[in-house]
Amino acid sequence: MTPIWRNRKFFPILGQVIAAFIVAIIVMILWHNLIYNLHRLGLQLGFDFLQFQASFDIGETPIPYKSSDSYSRALLVGLVNSLRVIVFGIILATIIGITVGVGRLSDNWLVRQLALVYVEILRNTPLLLQLFFWYFAVFLTLPKTENQISLLGFININNRGVTLPFGIELSSELSTLILGLTLYTGAFIAEIVRAGILSVPKGQWEAARALGFKPNLMLRLVIFPQALRLIIPPLTSQYLNLAKNSSLAIAIGYPDIYFVASTTFNQTGRSVEVILLIMVTYLTISLIISSGMNLLNRSVQLKER
Amino acid sequence: MLKLKRGLSLLATLPLVFSLSACAGQIGGSGGSLLDTIKSRGKLICGVSGQLPGFSYVKSNGEYAGLDVDVCRAIAAAIFNDPNKVDFRNLNSKERFTALQTGEVDILSRNTTWSMSRDTSIGIKFTAVVFYDGQGIMVKKNSGIQKLEDLKGKSICIGTGTTNEQNLTDQMRQRGVNYKPLVFEDANTVFATYEQGRCEGVTADRSQLVSRRTTLSKPDDHVVLETVLSKEPLTPAVVNGDSKWFDMVRWTIFALINAEELGVNSQNVGQLANSNNPEVKRLLGTEGNLGKGMGLTNDFVVHIIKNVGNYGEIYERNLGKNSELKLERGPNKLWNQGGILYAPPFR
């Protein structure tokens, strides 16, 4: 009978057990400290406050909400507001990113330079600063409702927001946030798209030309499907960044989940619980985006036959 | 296997050891009071806003000034006979309570409203009111808005992390007025957005509106409505469960008010110690043992008044006649002069 520590697998497994233990102990210490200190202040952890009346108004309510509803309802309103921004932001940022990314490789000198200037300016200034710029220097300086700008007769723009046909109204704050996030993230996506296209071997371009593909067909049918393999993984990170950056909403007065959670925390004083809620919310959103992108990633990978 | 087990049981005792040591390092737990901690530290750490002229802001010479600031200076004077032994920490309205709960600041003197939920459910205690305020609304003079009902369908700018959101909601619900709140994290953004005309009104405590109006580009174009939406008793707060420190802060504030009532100010405090009024004598510690009972010297009030003045002096210097704000004292007059400022006696 050989002793157990002579087994080749013994020490690696022991190492992992000890590592897992140390992590568990650190978590326990932190948790214990938290509970102890809360107890010292006479506070208890609990989520019962979510059923209390919120008694504050929210500026933009895509789902019915009144101030006599509960905190959980208010948080749901904030979540819907956040998701609106994230979904539109991801779609628009992708469109802008692909357009500018292709523009960076255009044969036309002017288009190339414009795309380069756009990417470099947007990529190298802080997002919060850009949001303030769009809000204060662009949207709030627009004319008042009385003499609003009319585009094509059915899009009206004033310092309250943008009115589209079919009764769609976007407030200045929502417009600013979507515009800011889209342009900022679009600049990063443009670089990712450019790198992806450049990664396709020269021979593929030549072969497509030899087969008589027109430029736009060549991009769509030959180059892009191969470039996607490289584009999608970093693109996922950009989508995640956009989702997390949407929490800057409160700086420009858009009532997203983070804002509603802040007010909830302020009125109930339940800092730990509210922070946990926000963390879980953003984590969930991020995991959904990741898993969706991973599915997409699998579909474009090389099929080894 | 045996060896492994022993190792595990040793590891399992670790959390116990750690948590014990974690308990040992607690501040303000059982045993010593924060007052002793402050004495041995040699200075007071005071949480303020730092962005509100009249209450707490940084002057051009880099010094902190304001009513909230002077409350902390008064406490430092009571403990150390030196009003400058204070470190000020700027806190925004969202982080203020956490900073107090965790002991990052000894006292929160930051235009904070005393309300039931704050007093009973977040582990802090309010000491004594230093300013009776009420929430108001500021609009542009030429807007024609005169009462809350005129704001129907309009936007109102608010800052988050205060009682203002809830008060406005309550008042508008009561009147059945639909409006659009526009809430920002940062007070500077609130007023910048209002000034740009995105909101027809801006709401905050009235003293704050008056204070902020001085920072707008054309102060005279704006007017604070007569309507008062709420009661906002602004009160310094300390952490729960330390009655010694709580008493010390509370009676420092009462000393400022009583000094004004008894006519003791920074000019005459030296001579009045020998006055024939027993109340003044007890206040200034030439009779009785009131200071010793709190763990201070008996003449602690002399130190306070000599260094920062009485309540009236502090008010006029920061908010009233001798300030830029020129705020009427209104309810903040003494109880025997038509206001509601009333401090329990030094007996």
Side-chain angles (χ1 to χ4, degrees), chain A residues 2 4 6 55 66 80 88 110 127 290 302:
Chain A
T2 46
I4 191 163
R6 288 288 172 81
S55 57
K66 14 180 230 311
V80 173
F88 283 114
L110 185 65
L127 174 57
S290 297
L302 274 175

Side-chain angles (χ1 to χ4, degrees), chain B residues 46-59 63-66 68-69 88-93 109-111 188 212:
Chain B
C46 168
V48 294
S49 146
Q51 310 216 328
L52 193 60
F55 285 90
S56 58
Y57 68 111
V58 184
K59 288 194 302 200
E63 274 189 3
Y64 275 87
D68 286 340
V69 167
F88 292 101
R89 299 274 160 86
N90 285 8
L91 300 169
N92 73 23
S93 47
S109 179
R110 193 206 169 281
N111 50 74
N188 296 328
R212 281 274 173 180

Side-chain angles (χ1 to χ4, degrees), chain B residues 287-300:
Chain B
E287 262 182 30
N289 252 337
L290 293 171
K292 286 267 190 331
M294 279 205 318
L296 299 168
T297 52
N298 278 335
D299 60 351
F300 79 102

Side-chain angles (χ1 to χ4, degrees), chain B residues 30 36 48 71 99 115 127 151 158 163 195-196 210 215 228 234 241 244 250 281 295 297 306 312 329 338:
Chain B
S30 52
D36 309 320
V48 294
V71 168
S115 75
T127 52
L151 286 156
I158 323 175
T163 43
E195 201 171 9
Q196 287 246 31
V210 172
T215 63
V228 179
L234 305 183
K244 195 173 175 187
R250 173 179 250 187
K281 281 187 161 167
T297 52
K306 203 173 62 204
R329 269 189 79 168

Side-chain angles (χ1 to χ4, degrees), chain B residues 47-48 91 96-97 100 105-110 112 235-238:
Chain B
V48 294
L91 300 169
R96 56 183 158 179
F97 298 121
L100 185 62
V105 295
D106 302 325
I107 174 174
L108 183 69
S109 179
R110 193 206 169 281
T112 297
T235 312
V238 295

Side-chain angles (χ1 to χ4, degrees), chain A residues 198-240:
Chain A
L198 287 177
S199 74
V200 177
K202 221 170 151 201
Q204 297 287 323
W205 295 80
E206 287 162 353
R209 256 187 227 111
L211 290 170
F213 277 102
K214 289 198 177 68
N216 64 351
L217 277 183
M218 180 165 77
L219 265 183
R220 216 179 68 208
L221 298 175
V222 180
I223 307 302
F224 230 81
Q226 299 185 72
L228 271 182
R229 285 174 206 146
L230 229 89
I231 289 175
I232 286 181
L235 191 62
T236 309
S237 312
Q238 289 309 323
Y239 287 173
L240 294 176

